[in-house]
């Protein structure tokens, strides 16, 4: 029995899988570790795998006033002769956690534990004791120290640059290289000059170690990068030549100070493409702005009133690379890291004709084509204002873009005219024409081109081109969207750049240099924290003590005050990092500790401990990590310390398991299955959805020695009793199985069954079958031996009644009509008109029935020593709401144009039934001649039929393909009449019958290749076994639809 893939079944299977998994998770998953006021730690820390080591400052040696000494506890009147002191805790920078997705902890907060015997531990300092000296009244909050540890964060704030500076040479390294302050400002990089000449600003951040290297760089640029008579200090270098001395690199590019400019092909999402930096240092810094924490793209937008870049800073991507290099012995003498900014520009912008005289820019050819100056933007606003008020139109410019334009959309080509002299005039000309939607300016020597339709495809990105979109003011948002799509294609142009960019020459200018205080990388993180306990916190009395520093992810505060008791080690259930120290504190005198040899490595034996104590009572040691850290199994809900918690948890698991078991058992077959109360047919006939609870409905009938009339009467009654619900969606069972079991294994019964299924395959009228079954219902055993179900009428004591419900015109072929048929048309009034093919098969069934013996015993065509199972699907339609929905049938009579008439008919029907083609519809048609014989009309052609075969009958397939009627014939092996000593029985589950598999009603699985192989092998082994369709059975015309299965009795 198959399982249907419905939503309910899928959900139930998910429920069956989910509940055991969930219960297993509840029992095995760790619960929240209750270590209040501490916070939960990661599982890796709980397992002792990721617990970092801390360094704790040494114990003070005296009580005298100084920077590091023991202080008596003044706040506690019971704390006489007890001391406290400041504790410094440090961690390696490599062990500090970095904030990322895998490690969300980025800060550590200290807590100090103290014990005198390594068993009873107390908290003596928490987050309240960090960040300032509580004993110094002059220590304000502004002067307070760090309150936590954090990962290193190297940041270098930059000066305001891009314009003239008032900084003198005594503090500015750049001005110190020039004889006068005015000359230094003359050669400084000017942001506005760069924007007017190049548009986009490309800045490269270069980190240099040591101020001497910075001064050497400025010296080289001053003496080698100032051309005679020019007012700029710039070098023509490759990236490797310009950035070879940089320890780390970063970049920022885009529009500066929100001044619209053409896009640079080297810029991608606010940063220069990585191909430029190939072959250089892999270390990187990020360019950011302190305004709202913007990145590289936003760092250029923060400008002062004088159009200078401000609020920019650099951040190291991996600070450990900087710190390790700075701590290296051979690099430590170089000093700190300094930030230098370069302004990079493409060499294609600078022309040979662009000369400067007397330190002022000239008016050569190289500067005449530039449309990116501030004056150009001012005139552009005037043009937009005129277009808006006089023409009601607006234009959107795309500097540095050449848009594609089709010749079919061309409006005008202005070459050599005044309108084509500048890009501004080209845009104004398009804006003044209502039919113009796009303008492309290709330079004064090429011309201005106007188009009627705007395009978003970019042909080229270059500074010598300028494009514009123009249209009504209401379409301005559409033109802005088109502009964004056009500039979005610049990434494709960028991909064309290869690693050759690293060898390409660019122009480099020094845009920013650091001084003694600004532009230096400083660590904003800290690896050291100072713990200054309050007056009420006493560490210990004189003697040998153990002190442990614990770092947590959040600040820990002990509400009940200090000296809170703790559970003994291991401490990795509450601490992310640990470090410990042991030894004698102030005022210990000659006191010794008996636990020192076990917990401090400096005291490895009692003898050595005593000797060293005699030498120095203040000898200290470090507590080993294995004494503080151990693998801790996570506590589960089933193993809580509270007995009430354990009891309620186990009760919860028990009741959930019982509920799941009851639900699962209720769905098993035969156990608490759903049932429906008894109702009348009128109550349930409209509830077809009930049928979806069943895979199929099986109607069984058995026979051992009944005569042929009784058997046929039972067959008619069973097929006519098929339920038809008044439901369009579920009109009947998806599979109606009619099974006939012949315990006598009679050949006549098999032949009669084959003829009966041939008749049902023509889809006879349901009304005909119902009237026929009603007429045969009241029949005695004696009547069955002398009467036939094909009689037109029977005469009883109660009168004459109609038996075979055929119309008078179709009754001539049946028994008992002869000459008596004349004059009895009135007696045979009524009946059901059958289709031509149904009538022909009914006549064939009548002929088979008439020639078969009454007991149906004949010489068997198949051996009776084996079981026989025949399965066949018949094409029977359904009836919905009392209206017959049988297959559509039509006839074609013989005429001169019968072919054309048939073609029109099939074409119309294929179109009405939504077939893909007429050929597909024709393949589904069942064609028979006037005698009921099948005709291969469409496969063999029209020439295969003759006039004597007309009228031809055409039957379409059933309209509901999701409903099937399956006929099954079963004949048992070795019938009971061959076993005289066996008592007669009809129990199919006895030793003489094999069980039918579910594939017996699955047509697709019955005719598989494996079954054919077994059948062929069996036929080869048994020469007496014949095919089901032997030559003696001329009435079985549809043997291709019948499957025979023989099962060895040993099975």
């Amino acid at each position: 029995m198959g399982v249907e893939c419905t939503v309910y079944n899928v959900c139930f299977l998910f429920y069956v899988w989910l509940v055991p998994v969930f219960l297993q998770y509840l029992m095995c998953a760790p619960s929240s570790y209750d270590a209040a006021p501490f916070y939960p730690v990661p599982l890796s820390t709980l397992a002792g795998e990721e617990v970092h080591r801390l360094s704790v400052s040494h114990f003070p040696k005296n009580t005298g006033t100084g920077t590091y000494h023991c202080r008596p506890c003044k706040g506690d009147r019971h704390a006489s002769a007890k001391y406290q002191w400041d504790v410094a805790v440090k961690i390696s920078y490599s062990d500090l956690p970095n904030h990322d997705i895998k490690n969300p902890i980025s800060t550590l907060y200290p807590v100090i534990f103290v014990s005198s015997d390594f068993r009873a531990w107390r908290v003596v300092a928490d987050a309240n004791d960090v960040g300032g000296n509580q004993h110094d009244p002059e220590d304000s909050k502004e002067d307070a120290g760090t309150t936590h540890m954090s990962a290193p964060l190297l940041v270098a704030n930059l000066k305001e640059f891009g314009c003239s500076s008032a900084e003198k040479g005594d503090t500015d390294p750049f001005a110190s290289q020039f004889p006068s302050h005015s000359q230094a400002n003359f050669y400084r990089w000017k942001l506005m000059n760069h924007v007017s000449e190049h548009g986009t600003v490309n800045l490269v951040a270069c980190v240099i170690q040591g101020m001497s290297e910075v001064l050497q760089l400025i010296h080289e640029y001053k003496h080698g990068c100032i051309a005679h008579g020019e007012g700029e200090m710039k070098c023509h270098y490759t990236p490797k030549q310009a950035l070879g001395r940089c320890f780390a690199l970063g970049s920022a590019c885009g529009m500066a100070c929100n001044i619209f400019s053409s896009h640079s092909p080297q810029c991608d999402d606010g940063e220069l493409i990585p191909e430029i930096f190939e072959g250089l240092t892999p270390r990187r810094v990020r360019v950011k702005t302190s305004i709202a924490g913007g990145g590289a793209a936003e760092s250029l937008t923060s400008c002062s009133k004088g159009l200078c870049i401000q609020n920019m800073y650099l951040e190291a991507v991996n600070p450990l690379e900087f710190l390790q290099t700075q701590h290296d012995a051979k690099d430590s003498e170089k000093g700190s890291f300094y930030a230098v900014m370069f302004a990079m520009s493409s060499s294609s912008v600078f022309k040979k004709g662009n000369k400067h005289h007397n330190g002022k820019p000239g008016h050569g050819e190289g500067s005449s084509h530039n449309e990116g100056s501030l004056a150009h933007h001012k005139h552009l606003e005037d043009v937009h204002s005129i277009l808006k008020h006089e023409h009601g139109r607006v234009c959107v410019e795309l500097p540095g873009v050449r848009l594609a334009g089709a010749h079919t959309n061309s409006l005008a080509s202005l070459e050599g005219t005044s309108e084509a002299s500048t890009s501004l005039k080209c845009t104004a000309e398009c804006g003044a024409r209502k039919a113009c939607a796009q303008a492309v300016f290709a330079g004064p020597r090429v011309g201005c081109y106007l188009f009627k339709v705007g395009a978003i495809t970019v042909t080229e990105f270059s500074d010598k081109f300028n494009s514009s979109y123009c249209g009504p003011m209401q379409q301005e948002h559409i033109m802005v969207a088109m502009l964004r799509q056009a500039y979005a294609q610049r990434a494709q142009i960028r991909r064309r750049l290869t690693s050759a960019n690293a060898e390409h020459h660019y122009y480099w200018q020094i845009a920013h240099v650091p001084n003694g205080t600004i532009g230096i990388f400083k660590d904003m993180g800290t690896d050291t924290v100072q713990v200054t306990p309050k007056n009420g916190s006493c560490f210990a009395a004189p003697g040998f003590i153990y002190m442990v520093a614990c770092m947590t992810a959040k600040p820990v505060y002990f509400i009940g005050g200090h000296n809170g008791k703790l559970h003994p080690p291991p401490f990795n259930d509450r601490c992310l990092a640990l470090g410990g120290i042991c030894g004698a504190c102030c005022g210990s005198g000659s006191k010794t500790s008996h636990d020192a040899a076990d917990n401090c490595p400096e005291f490895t034996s009692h003898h050595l401990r005593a000797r060293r104590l005699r030498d120095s009572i203040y000898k200290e040691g470090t507590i080993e990590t294995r004494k503080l850290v151990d693998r801790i199994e996570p506590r589960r809900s089933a193993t809580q310390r509270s007995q009430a918690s354990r009891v309620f948890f186990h009760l919860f698991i028990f009741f959930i398991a019982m509920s799941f078991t009851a639900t699962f058992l209720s769905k098993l077959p035969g156990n608490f299955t759903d049932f429906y109360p008894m109702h009348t047919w009128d109550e349930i006939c409209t509830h077809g959805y009930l049928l979806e609870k069943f895979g199929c409905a099986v109607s069984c009938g058995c026979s051992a020695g009944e005569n042929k009339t009784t058997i046929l009467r039972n067959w008619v009654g069973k097929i006519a009793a098929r339920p038809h619900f008044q439901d369009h969606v579920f009109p009947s069972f998806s599979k109606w199985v009619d099974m006939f079991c012949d315990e006598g294994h009679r050949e006549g019964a098999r032949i009669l069954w084959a003829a009966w299924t041939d008749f049902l395959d023509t889809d006879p009228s349901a009304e005909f079958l119902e009237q026929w079954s009603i007429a045969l219902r009241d029949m005695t055993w004696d009547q069955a031996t002398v009467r036939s179900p094909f009689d037109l009428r029977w005469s009883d004591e109660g009168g004459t009644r109609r038996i075979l419900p055929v119309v008078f015109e179709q009754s001539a072929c049946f028994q008992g009509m002869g000459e008596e048929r004349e004059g009895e048309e009135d007696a045979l009034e009524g009946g059901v008109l059958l289709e031509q093919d149904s009538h022909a098969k009914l006549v064939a069934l009548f002929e088979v029935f008439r020639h078969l013996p009454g007991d149906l015993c004949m010489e068997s065509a198949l051996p009776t020593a084996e079981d026989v199972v025949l399965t066949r699907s018949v094409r029977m339609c359904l009836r919905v709401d009392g209206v017959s929905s049988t297959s559509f049938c039509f006839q074609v009579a013989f005429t001169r144009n019968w072919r054309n008439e048939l073609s029109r008919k099939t074409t119309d029907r294929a179109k009405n039934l939504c077939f893909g083609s007429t050929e597909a519809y024709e393949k589904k048609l069942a064609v028979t001649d006037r005698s009921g014989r099948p005709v291969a009309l469409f496969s063999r052609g029209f020439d295969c039929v003759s006039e004597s075969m007309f009228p031809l009958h055409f039957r379409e397939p059933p309209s509901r393909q999701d409903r099937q009627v399956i006929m099954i014939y079963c004949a048992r092996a070795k019938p009971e009449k061959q076993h005289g000593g066996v008592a007669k029985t009809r129990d199919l589950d006895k030793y003489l019958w094999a069980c039918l598999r579910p594939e017996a009603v699955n047509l697709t699985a019955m005719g598989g290749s494996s079954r054919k192989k077994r059948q062929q092998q069996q036929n080869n082994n048994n020469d007496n076994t014949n095919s089901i369709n032997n030559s003696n059975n001329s009435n079985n015309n549809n043997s291709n639809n019948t499957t025979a299965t023989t099962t060895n009795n040993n099975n």
Side-chain angles (χ1 to χ4, degrees):
M1 181 179 62
V3 178
E4 295 185 7
C5 184
T6 61
V7 176
Y8 174 82
N9 291 337
V10 171
C11 294
F12 181 75
L13 292 177
F14 178 73
Y15 168 80
V16 171
W17 171 83
L18 179 63
V19 172
V21 172
F22 177 68
L23 295 180
Q24 180 72 12
Y25 170 78
L26 288 181
M27 292 184 291
C28 298
S31 61
S32 58
Y33 208 90
D34 185 14
F38 295 93
Y39 297 93
V41 297
L43 291 178
S44 58
T45 304
L46 205 61
E49 299 174 356
E50 297 183 4
V51 182
H52 302 295
R53 184 70 184 178
L54 297 174
S55 298
V56 185
S57 60
H58 298 288
F59 294 152
K61 302 299 186 291
N62 56 73
T63 59
T65 303
T67 57
Y68 191 53
H69 64 282
C70 294
R71 297 185 300 268
C73 301
K74 299 179 181 180
D76 189 357
R77 58 186 180 89
H78 301 288
S80 58
K82 290 186 178 181
Y83 298 95
Q84 62 176 206
W85 57 86
D86 297 343
V87 180
V89 181
K90 187 175 183 179
I91 190 174
S92 173
Y93 262 130
S94 58
D95 292 337
L96 277 173
N98 292 317
H99 182 74
D100 53 21
I101 297 178
K102 295 182 179 180
N103 189 11
I105 300 174
S106 59
T107 55
L108 298 175
Y109 299 86
V111 181
I112 304 299
F113 307 152
V114 168
S115 175
S116 58
D117 56 2
F118 212 79
R119 289 182 292 273
W121 290 83
R122 297 176 294 109
V123 176
V124 296
D126 57 12
N128 280 324
D129 304 304
V130 184
N133 189 354
Q134 306 292 336
H135 306 279
D136 188 357
E138 298 180 358
D139 188 9
S140 60
K141 293 183 178 179
E142 290 77 7
D143 300 330
T146 57
T147 61
H148 60 272
M149 293 181 180
S150 61
L153 179 64
L154 290 182
V155 173
N157 295 316
L158 303 185
K159 299 184 295 183
E160 187 179 90
F161 65 96
C163 55
S164 298
S165 174
E167 193 175 5
K168 303 298 183 179
D170 54 349
T171 59
D172 185 12
F174 186 86
S176 65
Q177 299 293 322
F178 294 90
S180 65
H181 181 263
S182 60
Q183 187 178 3
N185 281 334
F186 180 79
Y187 287 107
R188 287 185 191 273
W189 175 74
K190 307 297 191 303
L191 174 63
M192 286 300 98
N193 293 344
H194 187 99
V195 171
S196 63
E197 191 171 3
H198 305 285
T200 301
V201 176
N202 298 328
L203 294 181
V204 178
C206 173
V207 180
I208 299 177
Q209 187 177 13
M211 180 57 73
S212 60
E213 293 289 333
V214 176
L215 296 175
Q216 180 66 25
L217 173 67
I218 302 174
H219 180 77
E220 292 178 0
Y221 268 72
K222 175 191 173 185
H223 292 85
C225 300
I226 299 179
H228 177 70
E230 295 191 4
E232 290 180 315
M233 186 175 68
K234 56 187 175 184
C235 290
H236 196 219
Y237 289 154
T238 64
K240 289 184 178 180
Q241 294 172 340
L243 307 174
R245 71 180 73 203
C246 300
F247 178 80
L249 293 170
S251 63
C253 58
M255 297 184 298
C257 302
N258 292 319
I259 299 176
F260 185 80
S261 58
S262 60
H263 180 76
S264 173
Q266 291 85 18
C267 187
D268 181 21
D269 196 18
E271 295 182 353
L272 295 178
I273 58 178
E275 287 83 359
I276 294 179
F277 304 123
E278 286 187 359
L280 297 171
T281 174
R283 293 179 283 268
R284 293 291 180 263
V285 293
R286 301 186 184 97
V287 181
K288 293 186 174 183
T289 178
S290 58
I291 304 299
E298 295 80 12
S299 62
L300 296 173
T301 60
S302 178
C303 298
S304 63
K305 294 182 179 180
L307 296 180
C308 299
I309 297 177
Q310 61 180 3
N311 301 320
M312 183 180 288
Y313 70 93
L314 304 183
E315 177 184 313
V317 174
N318 189 357
L320 293 180
E321 297 175 343
F322 290 72
L323 298 175
Q324 290 173 359
T325 303
Q326 207 167 20
H327 294 163
D328 193 358
K330 60 181 181 179
D331 294 329
S332 60
E333 297 179 357
K334 295 182 179 180
S336 303
F337 292 96
Y338 296 88
V340 177
M341 300 297 292
F342 289 99
M344 188 193 78
S345 56
S346 176
S347 60
S348 61
V349 178
F350 299 96
K351 307 295 181 181
K352 293 182 179 180
N354 187 11
K355 297 296 182 179
H356 301 272
H357 303 281
N358 301 323
K360 298 181 181 180
H363 303 282
E365 180 183 353
S367 62
S368 62
H369 78 284
N370 184 16
E371 300 297 336
S373 65
L374 295 178
H376 170 73
H377 286 276
K378 182 177 180 181
H379 295 310
L380 183 60
E381 293 178 359
D382 297 338
V383 171
H384 286 180
S385 178
I386 295 173
L387 294 176
K388 180 178 179 181
H389 292 90
E390 295 185 4
H391 301 279
R393 290 166 59 84
V394 67
C395 292
V396 178
E397 275 202 310
L398 290 81
V401 176
R402 180 184 179 184
L403 294 174
H407 294 288
T408 57
N409 297 327
S410 178
L411 181 63
S413 298
L414 307 178
E415 299 176 357
T417 62
S418 60
E419 291 82 359
S421 59
T422 64
S423 62
L424 188 60
K425 293 182 179 181
C426 182
T427 301
E429 184 65 23
C430 181
R433 302 189 182 193
K434 292 185 178 181
C436 182
Q438 173 181 307
V440 177
F441 177 73
R445 297 183 180 180
V446 181
C448 173
Y449 303 94
L450 308 180
F451 299 91
K452 295 181 289 185
V453 179
I456 60 174
T457 303
V458 178
T459 304
E460 183 179 356
F461 284 98
S462 177
D463 293 336
K464 62 184 179 181
F465 294 106
N466 190 91
S467 300
S468 303
Y469 292 124
C470 295
M473 297 175 56
Q474 298 81 358
Q475 299 181 1
E476 183 177 3
H477 66 285
I478 300 177
M479 291 184 286
V480 173
M482 295 173 64
L483 176 142
R484 294 174 180 173
Q485 296 183 35
Y487 276 115
Q489 304 174 41
R490 62 196 179 194
Q492 302 176 2
I493 306 299
R494 185 188 70 81
R495 297 303 179 188
R496 299 174 188 171
L497 298 175
T498 60
S499 59
N501 281 318
E503 303 298 332
H504 190 71
H505 283 72
Y506 299 94
Y507 283 91
W508 303 84
Q509 295 176 262
I510 298 178
H512 172 276
V513 293
N515 56 24
T517 57
I518 304 178
I520 305 176
F521 277 89
K522 299 180 180 180
D523 186 9
M524 299 301 175
T526 178
D527 61 342
T528 305
V529 66
Q530 182 80 14
V531 180
T532 304
K534 296 180 179 179
N535 289 329
S537 176
C538 292
F539 287 177
F544 199 92
I545 65 170
Y546 304 89
M547 177 177 289
V548 173
C550 166
M551 304 303 292
T552 60
K554 297 180 181 180
V556 175
Y557 302 95
F558 281 81
I559 301 177
H562 293 155
N563 300 321
K565 295 183 179 180
L566 294 174
H567 294 289
F571 293 131
N572 53 304
D573 59 346
R574 68 208 78 170
C575 302
L576 299 174
L578 286 166
I581 189 173
C582 56
C585 64
C586 297
S588 296
S590 60
K591 295 182 178 180
T592 61
S593 173
H594 299 286
D595 301 321
D598 298 329
N599 301 306
C600 282
E602 296 294 336
F603 306 94
T604 54
S605 67
H606 291 281
H607 174 72
L608 184 61
R609 173 181 57 79
R611 182 175 61 81
R612 288 185 173 178
L613 284 177
R614 287 194 298 269
D615 295 340
S616 173
I617 62 173
Y618 296 109
K619 186 66 176 179
E620 295 178 356
T622 302
I623 303 177
E624 294 179 315
T625 305
R626 62 184 180 87
K627 297 290 185 178
L628 304 176
V629 177
D630 196 3
R631 182 177 180 85
I632 301 176
E633 291 296 331
R635 188 176 295 122
R636 296 173 174 82
S637 300
T639 59
Q640 290 287 341
R641 295 176 180 175
S642 173
Q643 183 178 0
S645 299
R646 297 196 303 270
V647 170
F648 280 104
F649 174 77
H650 285 91
L651 287 176
F652 173 78
I653 296 296
F654 173 76
F655 287 116
I656 291 294
M658 291 295 295
S659 175
F660 169 77
T661 304
T663 304
F664 179 75
L665 292 178
S666 66
K667 300 302 179 182
L668 295 178
N671 295 334
F672 314 106
T673 54
D674 297 336
F675 67 94
Y676 298 92
M678 298 297 296
H679 295 284
T680 62
W681 172 252
D682 294 335
E683 293 175 342
I684 66 173
C685 65
T686 58
H687 299 78
Y689 60 87
L690 300 177
L691 305 181
E692 293 303 304
K693 292 287 185 180
F694 309 96
C696 64
V698 182
S699 175
C700 296
C702 298
S703 175
E706 290 85 354
N707 55 35
K708 60 181 181 180
T709 301
T710 304
I711 292 176
L712 186 60
R713 190 276 304 264
N714 295 339
W715 289 351
V716 174
K718 283 196 301 178
I719 203 63
R722 273 192 314 149
H724 296 290
F725 290 81
Q726 296 177 9
D727 193 328
H728 293 282
V729 181
F730 306 106
S732 180
F733 293 94
S734 58
K735 289 182 181 179
W736 177 268
V737 181
D738 189 315
M739 178 179 291
F740 172 69
C741 301
D742 185 15
E743 296 185 357
H745 205 147
R746 295 167 293 179
E747 181 66 12
R750 186 185 67 83
I751 296 174
L752 183 62
W753 180 85
W756 167 248
T757 55
D758 285 344
F759 170 64
L760 295 182
D761 196 46
T762 62
D763 192 15
S765 172
E767 185 180 0
F768 173 82
L769 295 176
E770 290 179 1
Q771 292 186 13
W772 199 11
S773 65
I774 294 174
L776 296 175
R777 183 168 53 192
D778 298 329
M779 181 179 63
T780 63
W781 186 266
D782 295 335
Q783 291 175 342
T785 57
V786 297
R787 295 182 178 180
S788 170
F790 293 93
D791 293 339
L792 297 180
R793 60 181 182 273
W794 286 350
S795 298
D796 298 329
E797 297 178 357
T800 303
R801 55 175 173 149
R802 182 74 174 271
I803 300 300
L804 188 63
V806 295
V807 296
F808 179 79
E809 291 78 6
Q810 295 179 339
S811 62
C813 301
F814 298 99
Q815 181 182 4
M817 293 305 300
E819 292 86 3
E820 301 177 359
R821 184 170 176 272
E822 297 181 359
E824 296 193 7
E825 182 176 355
D826 297 337
L828 298 177
E829 183 179 0
V832 180
L833 179 64
L834 297 175
E835 293 289 342
Q836 177 177 299
D837 54 346
S838 298
H839 180 262
K841 292 300 180 181
L842 182 62
V843 174
L845 175 63
F846 166 64
E847 293 297 332
V848 171
F849 180 86
R850 187 175 61 176
H851 292 90
L852 287 176
D855 56 0
L856 299 177
C857 292
M858 302 174 59
E859 184 178 355
S860 178
L862 295 176
T864 59
E866 296 175 348
D867 297 332
V868 174
V869 178
L870 304 180
T871 305
R872 180 178 184 181
S873 177
V874 295
R875 296 175 294 181
M876 296 190 69
C877 287
L878 307 170
R879 187 178 68 180
V880 182
D881 293 337
V883 179
S884 177
S885 59
T886 56
S887 303
F888 180 80
C889 302
F890 61 90
Q891 294 183 359
V892 175
F894 181 80
T895 60
R896 295 179 59 183
N897 298 325
W898 70 272
R899 293 180 175 85
N900 297 334
E901 179 184 353
L902 178 59
S903 299
R904 288 194 301 270
K905 187 68 174 177
T906 55
T907 301
D908 294 342
R909 292 298 297 172
K911 182 177 180 181
N912 295 336
L913 297 179
C914 300
F915 275 83
S917 62
T918 306
E919 292 75 10
Y921 170 74
E922 291 174 349
K923 290 181 181 180
K924 296 291 186 178
L925 286 176
V927 186
T928 55
D929 60 5
R930 63 186 304 172
S931 301
R933 290 188 297 269
V935 179
L937 180 62
F938 298 106
S939 60
R940 297 176 57 186
F942 291 163
D943 296 336
C944 66
V945 296
S946 59
E947 183 179 357
S948 59
M949 301 171 65
F950 282 85
L952 297 179
H953 185 269
F954 297 85
R955 179 181 293 276
E956 294 177 352
S959 57
R960 291 294 296 264
Q961 298 291 334
D962 58 337
R963 306 292 153 171
Q964 288 182 298
V965 176
I966 301 174
M967 310 295 294
I968 297 180
Y969 169 82
C970 302
R972 60 174 295 175
K974 298 179 181 179
E976 292 179 350
K977 61 182 181 180
Q978 299 180 8
H979 302 272
V982 180
K984 289 188 176 183
T985 178
R986 293 187 178 182
D987 295 336
L988 300 184
D989 56 350
K990 284 297 181 93
Y991 55 90
L992 294 178
W993 277 90
C995 296
L996 296 179
R997 293 180 297 174
E999 287 82 353
V1001 296
N1002 192 343
L1003 299 180
T1004 58
M1006 287 293 296
S1009 59
S1010 59
R1011 185 179 297 279
K1012 292 182 179 179
K1013 290 181 180 180
R1014 294 196 301 268
Q1015 183 69 29
Q1016 183 178 1
Q1017 182 178 2
Q1018 186 173 359
N1019 293 337
N1020 294 335
N1021 296 334
N1022 191 355
D1023 295 334
N1024 296 327
T1025 303
N1026 300 323
S1027 174
I1028 297 177
N1029 304 309
N1030 54 43
S1031 57
N1032 296 330
N1033 186 11
S1034 60
N1035 297 297
N1036 191 0
N1037 296 326
N1038 294 292
S1039 59
N1040 293 332
N1041 296 329
T1042 305
T1043 304
T1045 304
T1046 59
T1047 307
N1048 198 320
N1049 189 47
N1050 295 330
N1051 293 334

